[in-house]
Amino acid sequence: MKARLAALFVLLVSGLSLFANDAVFVKPDDEIFDKTKKAESPNTPLMFEIMSNTTVKVVDYIPSSGIDSVVVPEKVQIEGKEYKVVCIGKKAFGGYRKLKSVELPSTLTTIEDFAFSYSEDLSRVIIPSSVYKIGE
């Protein structure tokens, strides 16, 4: 009986870890917060992840009707603090079929894997010379 309870406990604990929310992490001071944020500019149809005290990466595009092109800003305001946009995250623009054009900022250094995957109508991406790493 004890062996069955122990096995059930292990399964339960490992199963819970599979469903953990990826959008939450623990800061060094143990403050827990959602790291995916919307910029304070109402004209920015993007979600950002805070990477450091000064930098963010684009993690999602929020499509709006009639908008088929995006200019990613060099800097964004989040909760009253300014951050430099340095990365396009994995699958950030992936799957948005009506998106036709994306212009990236000169502050950008990295484009992660599959950042524009399955964006079938995307015909123009302006990549600045500051980018030194591009994923798959």
Side-chain angles (χ1 to χ4, degrees):
M1 180 70 170
K2 286 184 181 180
R4 285 185 183 174
L5 285 175
L8 181 61
F9 178 75
V10 169
L11 286 173
L12 178 63
V13 170
S14 63
L16 289 175
S17 67
L18 291 174
F19 297 103
N21 183 353
D22 290 339
V24 174
F25 75 104
V26 179
K27 289 179 24 178
D29 62 359
D30 291 331
E31 177 185 339
I32 297 176
F33 69 99
D34 181 353
K35 65 181 180 179
T36 304
K37 305 287 183 181
K38 176 84 172 87
E40 292 169 3
S41 169
N43 298 329
T44 305
L46 303 168
M47 294 293 290
F48 300 89
E49 178 182 308
I50 298 170
M51 298 175 65
S52 73
N53 287 332
T54 59
T55 62
V56 294
K57 72 175 171 180
V58 176
V59 293
D60 200 7
Y61 164 65
I62 305 163
S64 300
S65 73
I67 296 177
D68 62 1
S69 70
V70 175
V71 176
V72 178
E74 290 187 356
K75 296 178 181 179
V76 293
Q77 289 277 338
I78 298 174
E79 297 174 352
K81 185 167 170 38
E82 188 173 82
Y83 295 90
K84 184 168 61 167
V85 179
V86 297
C87 180
I88 302 297
K90 185 175 184 178
K91 299 181 182 179
F93 292 94
Y96 296 107
R97 289 181 169 88
K98 296 187 188 251
L99 186 62
K100 294 181 181 177
S101 171
V102 178
E103 184 174 339
L104 303 174
S106 63
T107 54
L108 202 71
T109 59
T110 306
I111 299 173
E112 293 182 351
D113 293 342
F114 311 110
F116 302 98
S117 62
Y118 300 107
S119 296
E120 295 171 357
D121 287 351
L122 188 61
S123 59
R124 182 174 178 246
V125 178
I126 299 174
I127 301 174
S129 61
S130 58
V131 173
Y132 63 87
K133 182 179 178 192
I134 298 178
E136 293 184 34

